Amino acid sequence: MTLVIASGEGRRDIDQRILTDFRDAVDHVRKTAWAVQEWQERQIARHDPHTLLPLLISERIRRAAQLSNSIVSDLTNHEVTRETPGVDQLYDAVQRMHQLLADLLKEN
């Protein structure tokens, strides 16, 4: 799906993926700003701010899953190639994460 924006310079099409990435980035910034504010408020109130860490980790996992699904779509559509910058580093990170998650899930 493509969003069409009309302006004084004429018609402009914006790919839905770009809008989704923008919306997700803004959401991430908003949640991070909330966490910073909440951390400060808990410190001022002499409450343990470290109780925020599970929420931040949970949000990071949600975001990682969201990004991973977007990359799966890019791979499926052949938009990622061997020459795509960072693909080797992504592969290494996914391999390490896969092993650590496998170990974690075996423990339970």
Side-chain angles (χ1 to χ4, degrees), residues 6-98:
S7 71
E9 299 173 14
R11 176 188 156 138
R12 298 186 184 209
D13 296 343
I14 298 177
D15 189 302
Q16 182 64 37
R17 294 172 295 181
I18 294 170
L19 292 173
T20 298
D21 280 353
F22 178 75
R23 184 188 71 235
D24 293 343
V26 169
D27 187 50
H28 178 68
V29 168
R30 183 184 60 76
K31 288 177 181 175
T32 303
W34 169 85
V36 169
Q37 180 179 358
E38 188 66 23
W39 185 280
Q40 290 176 331
E41 288 175 6
R42 289 181 187 200
Q43 283 181 323
I44 291 168
R46 299 195 188 280
H47 294 122
D48 183 8
H50 289 87
T51 57
L52 279 175
L53 294 179
L55 294 171
L56 293 173
I57 291 168
S58 178
E59 176 58 23
R60 194 177 304 143
I61 289 170
R62 184 198 68 77
R63 181 73 177 122
Q66 187 179 43
L67 285 170
S68 295
N69 285 326
S70 292
I71 293 169
V72 165
S73 177
D74 294 340
L75 287 162
T76 301
N77 293 327
H78 306 287
E79 293 172 346
V80 174
T81 68
R82 183 77 174 97
E83 290 75 33
T84 300
V87 75
D88 291 330
Q89 292 86 351
L90 175 62
Y91 179 82
D92 292 341
V94 168
Q95 288 293 101
R96 288 190 314 273
M97 187 184 312
H98 180 266

Side-chain angles (χ1 to χ4, degrees), residues 91-107:
Y91 179 82
D92 292 341
V94 168
Q95 288 293 101
R96 288 190 314 273
M97 187 184 312
H98 180 266
Q99 184 58 57
L100 291 168
L101 285 170
D103 293 346
L104 176 69
L105 294 175
K106 284 180 194 173
E107 292 175 8

